[in-house]
């Protein structure tokens, strides 16, 4: 396919899955400098994932779809980061304690838990600490924060550089 000038929105639902055809379309859209290249690539990867049987490859593809939209959806790492922060805040809601306050209201627990989760994700020092095994949530949160940041940079780079 060379210099094919059809809008992706007009043809995306009528194409049957063919590996080389999709890759040629992606290259065509990129050569023409069109944003449709990302949408075409996303659909290609999605259909490729659906055609796979359950294996580690399919699991990796599902994770790539969720976390970064196969590298062409920069909003996905941001959304995953927000979900991760809220999820971790819910996990440490009960065991949260403060070095300064010991008698706390339930509203303080929610606020402190969310604050701790955001501060940990953004690597800001806080005096609020979770108790017991829940302190390992911060290690997981920091590890996933770096991964999501790398995915965000990669997706933005891919989208901006085309």
């Amino acid at each position: 396919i060379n210099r094919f000038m059809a809008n992706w929105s007009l043809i995306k639902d009528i194409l049957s899955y063919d590996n080389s055809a999709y890759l040629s379309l992606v290259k065509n859209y990129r050569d023409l400098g069109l944003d449709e290249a990302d949408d075409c690539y996303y659909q290609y990867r999605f259909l490729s994932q659906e055609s796979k049987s359950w294996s580690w490859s399919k699991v990796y593809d599902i994770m790539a779809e969720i976390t970064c939209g196969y590298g062409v959806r920069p909003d996905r790492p941001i959304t995953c980061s927000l979900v991760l922060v809220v999820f971790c805040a819910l996990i440490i809601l009960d065991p949260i304690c403060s070095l300064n306050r010991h008698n706390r209201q339930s509203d303080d627990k929610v606020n402190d838990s969310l604050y701790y989760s955001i501060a940990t994700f953004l690597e800001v020092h806080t005096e609020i600490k979770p108790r017991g095994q829940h302190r390992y949530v911060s290690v997981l949160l920091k590890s996933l924060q770096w991964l999501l940041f790398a995915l965000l940079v990669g997706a933005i780079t891919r989208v901006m550089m085309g």
Side-chain angles (χ1 to χ4, degrees):
I1 298 174
N2 190 15
R3 306 219 27 101
F4 184 66
M5 299 288 290
N7 286 339
W8 176 246
S9 59
L10 298 175
I11 64 170
K12 70 177 184 176
D13 294 327
I14 59 174
L15 290 176
S16 60
Y17 176 72
D18 180 84
N19 215 9
S20 58
Y22 266 96
L23 292 176
S24 293
L25 271 174
V26 170
K27 183 179 180 330
N28 175 65
Y29 285 133
R30 282 208 177 105
D31 290 346
L32 294 173
L34 300 175
D35 291 336
E36 278 97 347
D38 292 338
D39 296 332
C40 182
Y41 180 76
Y42 182 86
Q43 184 164 329
Y44 157 70
R45 288 289 306 270
F46 183 79
L47 293 173
S48 173
Q49 171 200 311
E50 280 189 333
S51 68
K52 291 180 180 179
S53 60
W54 279 99
S55 64
W56 284 111
S57 176
K58 184 167 184 143
V59 171
Y60 292 143
D61 277 356
I62 291 170
M63 293 304 294
E65 178 192 4
I66 292 168
T67 58
C68 63
Y70 304 117
V72 294
R73 301 286 191 259
D75 61 318
R76 296 278 177 94
I78 295 169
T79 303
C80 286
S81 297
L82 292 172
V83 168
L84 180 65
V85 164
V86 171
F87 180 71
C88 288
L90 292 173
I91 288 174
I92 61 173
L93 184 61
D94 278 342
I96 200 83
C97 72
S98 173
L99 298 175
N100 297 334
R101 295 181 274 162
H102 294 290
N103 298 327
R104 42 195 326 95
Q105 302 292 328
S106 64
D107 288 345
D108 290 339
K109 277 183 156 180
V110 172
N111 291 337
D112 285 351
S113 178
L114 189 57
Y115 173 76
Y116 174 77
S117 189
I118 291 169
T120 300
F121 188 81
L122 297 176
E123 298 203 17
V124 175
H125 175 72
T126 179
E127 292 182 0
I128 300 169
K129 305 286 183 211
R131 294 183 199 157
Q133 291 181 333
H134 290 87
R135 65 181 179 220
Y136 296 111
V137 170
S138 64
V139 174
L140 177 66
L141 187 58
K142 285 182 183 181
S143 300
L144 292 176
Q145 173 249 355
W146 283 106
L147 175 67
L148 290 169
F149 181 72
L151 291 172
L152 174 64
V153 169
I156 288 174
T157 302
R158 181 178 176 130
V159 169
M160 297 304 279
M161 297 297 182

